[in-house]
């Protein structure tokens, strides 16, 4: 009688244990199968006279980018800058370690690329760019490409990839003859603008045309600068109606290496 009285409780414990074991096994299988994608960090530099968070160096990623990448059941890791020779917190971790252990890289948007990075001077003080972020992302990009890992550059990331291969940028797209608006309202600061929808033409036989199954697609862009002279070893994948390059690929990368000027998220 005692055995029969305890049987339902024993059965529940057995079934619960089996369920936990199956759940843990599925979780381990998922972790083995899923991709691990790194996203470059956006950098906030301290503002003079500020307190709290605004007085600190911050590294962050944009939520829309993270959610877009994760929508394919991909694990997202923000890749921070590294400090191998700091006085307070030196580290043996380098960006090469991230390239070795992650499956791919997304270079997200943000502040302008510094004209100094492509051997020019800013035509306006507000276009001085973020030189510190440039140096970090250039190293990050080359580590992933050298490791044979796929890379996707978005907006600023597109411009950074062009500069990495020796290209230059339009510091002001208004200088492009017959230019179209690549952002909503150029009279407003970039941080309060919305993406501008416009059409791009994909290169005949290119990677994007094969993926899209069409020669023309609508995209959303939000940029006041853009690719001017294309870097060495890069092939155009898309152009806007004003001729501005909207996408390109790295021809000799061992794996997928593509840059788009628009906001796919």
């Amino acid at each position: 009688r005692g055995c029969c009285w305890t049987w339902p409780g024993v059965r529940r414990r057995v079934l619960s244990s089996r369920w936990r074991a199956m759940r843990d096994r599925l979780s381990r299988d998922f972790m083995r199968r899923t991709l691990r994608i790194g996203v470059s960090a956006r950098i906030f530099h301290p503002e003079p006279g500020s307190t709290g968070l605004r007085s600190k160096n911050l590294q962050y990623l944009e939520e829309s980018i993270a959610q877009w990448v994760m929508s394919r059941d991909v694990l997202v890791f923000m890749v921070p800058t590294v400090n191998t020779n700091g006085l307070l917190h030196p580290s043996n971790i380098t960006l090469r370690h991230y390239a070795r252990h992650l499956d791919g890289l997304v270079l997200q948007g943000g502040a302008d690329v510094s004209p100094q990075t492509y051997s020019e001077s800013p035509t306006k003080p507000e276009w001085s760019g973020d030189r510190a972020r440039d140096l970090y992302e250039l190293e990050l990009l080359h580590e992933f490409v050298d490791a044979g890992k796929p890379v996707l550059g978005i907006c600023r990331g597109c411009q950074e990839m062009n500069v990495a291969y020796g290209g230059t940028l339009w510091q002001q797209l208004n200088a492009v003859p017959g230019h179209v608006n690549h952002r909503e309202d150029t009279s407003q600061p970039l941080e309060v603008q919305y993406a501008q929808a416009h059409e791009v033409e994909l290169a005949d036989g290119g990677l994007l045309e094969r993926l899209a199954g069409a020669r023309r697609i609508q995209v959303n862009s939000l940029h006041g600068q853009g690719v001017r002279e294309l870097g060495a070893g890069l092939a155009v994948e898309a152009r806007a109606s004003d001729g501005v390059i909207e996408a390109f690929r790295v021809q000799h990368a061992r794996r997928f290496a593509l840059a788009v000027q628009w906001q796919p998220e």
Side-chain angles (χ1 to χ4, degrees), residues 45-117:
H45 300 284
E47 295 179 351
S50 296
T51 59
L53 286 177
R54 291 184 176 273
S55 67
K56 301 178 182 296
N57 281 303
L58 303 177
Q59 298 184 24
Y60 63 99
L61 60 85
E62 194 170 324
E63 182 184 46
S64 60
I65 288 289
Q67 297 293 339
W68 175 65
V69 177
M70 286 191 291
S71 68
R72 294 293 183 176
D73 294 332
V74 168
L75 291 172
V76 172
F77 296 83
M78 189 189 78
V79 182
T81 59
V82 297
N83 188 1
T84 57
N85 56 4
L87 296 177
L88 295 178
H89 302 290
S91 172
N92 292 321
I93 297 297
T94 67
L95 295 179
R96 181 168 297 178
H97 289 100
Y98 283 95
R100 184 182 305 162
H101 292 286
L102 296 177
D103 298 306
L105 173 68
V106 174
L107 296 174
Q108 66 171 321
D112 292 340
V113 176
S114 171
Q116 183 183 354
T117 305

Side-chain angles (χ1 to χ4, degrees), residues 226-246:
V227 174
R228 185 171 185 173
E229 296 174 347
L230 195 64
L234 306 180
V236 174
E237 283 281 335
R239 289 183 185 271
S241 60
D242 56 10
V244 170
I245 295 171
E246 287 279 327

